Amino acid sequence: MKTKSFTLKIAALIGKLTEFWRRRRLPSNLPDVHTAPLVLITGGSGGIGAALAHELAEAGYNLLLIGKNEDRLRSVAARLQKISSGEILSLAMDLANFELHDKIDDLLEAKGYHVEILVNNAGLGERDEFLEAEWSELEHVLDVNIKVLTALTHRYLPKMTARGSGTLLNMASLGGVTPGPYNSIYFSTKAYVVNFTESLANEVRGKGVYIGAILAGPTKTAFHHKIDGQNSLYNYLLWYMKPRFV
């Protein structure tokens, strides 16, 4: 716990030291903001998303957790509300249904929030190797890992730069920097996330917005069981991390 506290203090110090550099090209006529800041986390009902939500809830942030399993989302939100001074909201939806994305803004408007931090954490992997997989399965992985992430970024990043404040955090993977036979689509989508994140970070430099990516290795979540990946080679080459550690 002491190590974690020290790490957070160092991160806060670095943030203050780099604040001027990040905001050096901001216009003088930034708009007044009359809504409260909120953290939007996709895939927030379990794994790394839920672990990150726990950290932010302890710090008092307002949160909106999005996922497909409504019961699990409500359970996580209720648990986090007990430890947080902020408001913990949840919204069950299939993000691959892009027509439903307006519901996010409807909820934010009704509650008086804006997305100050966007965590694109939702992600999928394929169960079968490319030659044997059904196209519908591969397409769904592409939709969630690339199109959903890109669509939400396109929806909220321009608003962040307009305010001169915000954070975008994309969930990538060590698989984003290496080929992945038998998980070729998943690894390739994470390569997109890495490249996309680095490109955007350069585009918004100096506009008050922080953009980063998490390149996690094997983590103890339900992800590997969903894709029958518990016997994959990387499980024997790398150690599993706990979500809270990531």
Side-chain angles (χ1 to χ4, degrees), residues 141-186:
V141 175
L142 291 168
D143 282 346
V144 174
N145 292 9
I146 291 181
K147 292 180 66 176
V148 167
L149 179 145
T150 307
L152 292 177
T153 299
H154 188 262
R155 180 176 287 252
Y156 295 111
L157 182 58
K159 297 176 182 179
M160 294 179 188
T161 58
R163 290 192 310 268
S165 174
T167 295
L168 169 65
L169 187 60
N170 290 328
M171 180 56 63
S173 166
L174 286 180
V177 293
T178 182
Y182 307 106
N183 287 115
S184 58
I185 298 299
Y186 173 77

Side-chain angles (χ1 to χ4, degrees), residues 76-92:
V76 172
R79 185 173 70 249
L80 296 182
Q81 190 63 80
K82 294 178 181 179
I83 64 171
S84 179
S85 58
E87 184 174 13
I88 313 298
L89 304 173
S90 63
L91 182 60

Side-chain angles (χ1 to χ4, degrees), residues 10-189:
I10 292 297
L13 176 61
I14 293 174
K16 291 180 179 179
L17 293 176
T18 59
E19 181 68 10
F20 173 76
W21 177 82
R22 291 197 296 118
R23 301 172 67 87
R24 68 191 186 280
R25 283 164 34 194
L26 287 178
S28 58
N29 58 339
L30 290 174
D32 293 330
V33 179
H34 303 289
T35 51
L38 173 140
V39 183
L40 169 59
I41 303 179
T42 65
S45 62
I48 297 174
L52 182 57
H54 187 278
E55 300 292 326
L56 294 169
E58 281 189 326
Y61 284 85
N62 302 306
L63 301 179
L64 171 56
L65 309 179
I66 297 181
K68 293 179 66 175
N69 190 313
E70 184 171 6
D71 291 338
R72 190 181 304 163
L73 273 177
R74 287 183 176 179
S75 176
V76 172
R79 185 173 70 249
L80 296 182
Q81 190 63 80
K82 294 178 181 179
I83 64 171
S84 179
S85 58
E87 184 174 13
I88 313 298
L89 304 173
S90 63
L91 182 60
M93 61 185 298
D94 181 1
L95 286 166
N97 186 343
F98 296 93
E99 294 181 356
L100 298 179
H101 287 196
D102 287 341
K103 287 187 175 183
I104 303 173
D105 287 335
D106 292 342
L107 177 59
L108 295 176
E109 183 177 357
K111 291 286 188 175
Y113 291 119
H114 67 266
V115 176
E116 181 71 13
I117 301 175
L118 171 62
V119 182
N120 283 313
N121 172 71
L124 298 173
E126 65 267 38
R127 294 177 61 89
D128 301 308
E129 61 180 281
F130 186 84
L131 297 179
E132 298 179 358
E134 296 290 336
W135 169 244
S136 58
E137 175 194 4
L138 302 181
E139 184 178 33
H140 192 50
V141 175
L142 291 168
D143 282 346
V144 174
N145 292 9
I146 291 181
K147 292 180 66 176
V148 167
L149 179 145
T150 307
L152 292 177
T153 299
H154 188 262
R155 180 176 287 252
Y156 295 111
L157 182 58
K159 297 176 182 179
M160 294 179 188
T161 58
R163 290 192 310 268
S165 174
T167 295
L168 169 65
L169 187 60
N170 290 328
M171 180 56 63
S173 166
L174 286 180
V177 293
T178 182
Y182 307 106
N183 287 115
S184 58
I185 298 299
Y186 173 77
F187 276 58
S188 297
T189 61

